[in-house]
Amino acid sequence: MNDTSRLPYRLRLPGPTAVPARVRQAIAGLVIDHHGPEFHALVGEIQRRIRPIFGTRGKVLTFAGSGTAAMEAALANIAPPGTPVLVVAHGQFGVRFGQIAQALGCKVDMLEVEWGTAPDPAAIRQQLEHRDYAALCVTHNETSTGVTADLPAIGALTKDRPTLLLVDSVSGIAGLPVEQDRWHLDLVIGASQKALMCPPGIGLVGISAKAWAVIERGHGGRFFWDFRKAGAALDKLEGAFTPPVSLMAGLAEALRMIEEEGFANVLARHRRLAAAMRAGLASLGLPPFPREAPSDTVAVVRVPDGLDGNVMIQNLYERYRTVVAGSRTHLSGKLIRIGTMGYVSESDILTDLHFIELTLRNLGIAPREGAGVAAAAALFARPLEERRAAA
């Protein structure tokens, strides 16, 4: 085995993602009073900077917890036991949304979508006409398949219905366009460890006026996750309970970095890097798994016939200290998944493709030398207008 002691550890998962030094330094600062003026200023700054990323003028609640925790919290606040809920599942995290709803005692109907394809708004509309659902749950960016849902079209389906639209955008927020207000998304769920460039530990929920009306009517079944408490505390620029103050400092710094780059430029960078990654992987003989609507925050590709993707992942780490993901589902060994979100640059993509080519050679597959890097570099070299068309 090659000596990897001099190679840097490269976290290239579709979450958690690499955390920039500025964010790590902010987290390492002094712990401050969560009722004091310094924290009040921090919360105010986060609200000002996060709302444009969610595409809302409303409140974006923050909690100590993962994206899954925020998904559960969102459902718990609008769907007491016995509530009819429709869950659209086009991958692993849509299935998880259904499991959460079932655990909360909801009456769950699952709309199963073939993995690798996007949810069909017409099929969702047809299902909504069969039953009066309190909630429709959709995964925006399915990291298990690399497929993105058409949120504007889906939001139009619930705009004039009492049904609330819950969107898991954990791997979409800050890497993909989200227009909560304009697209009529009622509860948008995010988390700190993806395109927001922070460690895991903060769940976020943007809430529409329509959703607040349901939340404020209230029901039992939650205490820590009570959005009414969290909303009232946010009015005072505080948390309802002890917040993760150090992580919040890191989030504020990450949001400053996004604003410095320009959010439109951040989104364009994600599109460019994802397109280059897909082109490079295809040139190495790793075709995309998605058949439509490919994600800009994760590349999901099939491994060559006769190769176990898990062996490829292990070799990539052991030889090149590069950590990518496989599948934890029935597709285990058949896919690899690589993050193109957050603190990622063109050099990261080119390095990924170089190490993946070397890994394929280690395992007996010989793509054309330099094919992946060349395909990505060619896209990076195009004028901006051509890059946008290619993305």
Side-chain angles (χ1 to χ4, degrees), residues 78-104:
I78 58 94
T83 299
V85 171
L86 175 61
V87 177
V88 180
H90 63 291
Q92 175 184 350
F93 293 96
V95 172
R96 179 175 295 183
F97 230 149
Q99 293 170 335
I100 293 170
Q102 290 169 349
L104 292 173

Side-chain angles (χ1 to χ4, degrees), residues 188-357:
V188 176
I189 299 151
S192 55
Q193 77 275 15
K194 305 275 188 175
L196 284 170
M197 305 185 293
C198 291
I202 301 177
L204 305 102
V205 186
I207 306 174
S208 72
K210 178 182 170 184
W212 272 117
V214 174
I215 292 165
E216 288 170 352
R217 288 201 293 269
H219 63 83
R222 76 259 196 218
F223 182 80
F224 179 86
W225 299 121
D226 191 332
F227 285 0
R228 294 168 299 182
K229 292 189 183 79
L234 182 56
D235 289 339
K236 299 184 290 184
L237 299 177
E238 295 187 358
F241 305 98
T242 306
V245 292
S246 296
L247 288 178
M248 295 283 279
L251 177 59
E253 188 63 30
L255 293 172
R256 292 178 199 125
M257 292 179 67
I258 289 171
E259 186 166 291
E260 288 168 11
E261 184 176 353
F263 187 46
N265 294 329
V266 170
L267 295 178
R269 172 169 54 84
H270 280 79
R271 288 194 299 273
R272 182 174 70 252
L273 297 181
M277 178 66 89
R278 290 193 297 267
L281 291 170
S283 295
L284 293 173
L286 301 170
F289 179 73
R291 291 189 287 282
E292 57 188 356
S295 169
D296 288 341
T297 62
V298 56
V300 181
V301 294
R302 298 180 183 272
V303 301
D305 292 339
L307 179 61
D308 184 338
N310 295 319
V311 173
M312 183 177 174
I313 290 165
Q314 182 178 2
N315 189 280
L316 190 59
Y317 170 66
E318 291 179 347
R319 299 289 291 270
Y320 310 109
R321 296 276 285 167
T322 296
V323 182
V324 302
S327 175
R328 293 175 289 171
T329 70
H330 62 285
L331 297 169
S332 178
K334 300 178 181 179
L335 305 179
I336 62 169
R337 302 181 299 126
I338 308 169
T340 56
M341 71 183 88
Y343 190 58
V344 182
S345 67
E346 293 182 1
S347 64
D348 291 312
I349 302 301
L350 297 174
T351 302
D352 292 337
L353 292 167
H354 175 60
F355 285 160
I356 289 169
E357 178 186 337

Side-chain angles (χ1 to χ4, degrees), residues 97-114:
F97 230 149
Q99 293 170 335
I100 293 170
Q102 290 169 349
L104 292 173
C106 299
K107 294 180 180 178
V108 182
D109 288 342
M110 297 291 293
L111 180 58
E112 301 281 356
V113 178
E114 183 180 2

Side-chain angles (χ1 to χ4, degrees), residues 71 74-76 78-79 83-90 93-94 96-98 100-101 106-113 119-140 149-169 180 183-189 205-206 208 210-211 214:
M71 292 165 68
L75 264 174
I78 58 94
T83 299
V85 171
L86 175 61
V87 177
V88 180
H90 63 291
F93 293 96
R96 179 175 295 183
F97 230 149
I100 293 170
C106 299
K107 294 180 180 178
V108 182
D109 288 342
M110 297 291 293
L111 180 58
E112 301 281 356
V113 178
D120 180 2
I124 298 173
R125 179 190 296 110
Q126 185 177 27
Q127 188 68 34
L128 288 171
E129 291 172 353
H130 289 325
R131 190 174 186 182
D132 292 328
Y133 292 102
L136 167 63
C137 302
V138 176
T139 305
H140 177 200
D150 185 350
L151 290 186
I154 296 171
L157 301 178
T158 56
K159 173 187 173 184
D160 298 319
R161 299 175 184 268
T163 305
L164 295 179
L165 175 55
L166 280 69
V167 177
D168 162 16
S169 190
Q180 179 168 10
W183 296 348
H184 311 289
L185 316 177
D186 295 305
L187 294 107
V188 176
I189 299 151
V205 186
S208 72
K210 178 182 170 184
V214 174

Side-chain angles (χ1 to χ4, degrees), residues 370-391:
V373 169
L379 190 145
F380 290 147
R382 294 180 190 177
L384 181 59
E385 294 75 14
E386 292 184 24
R387 293 183 188 179
R388 287 171 176 164

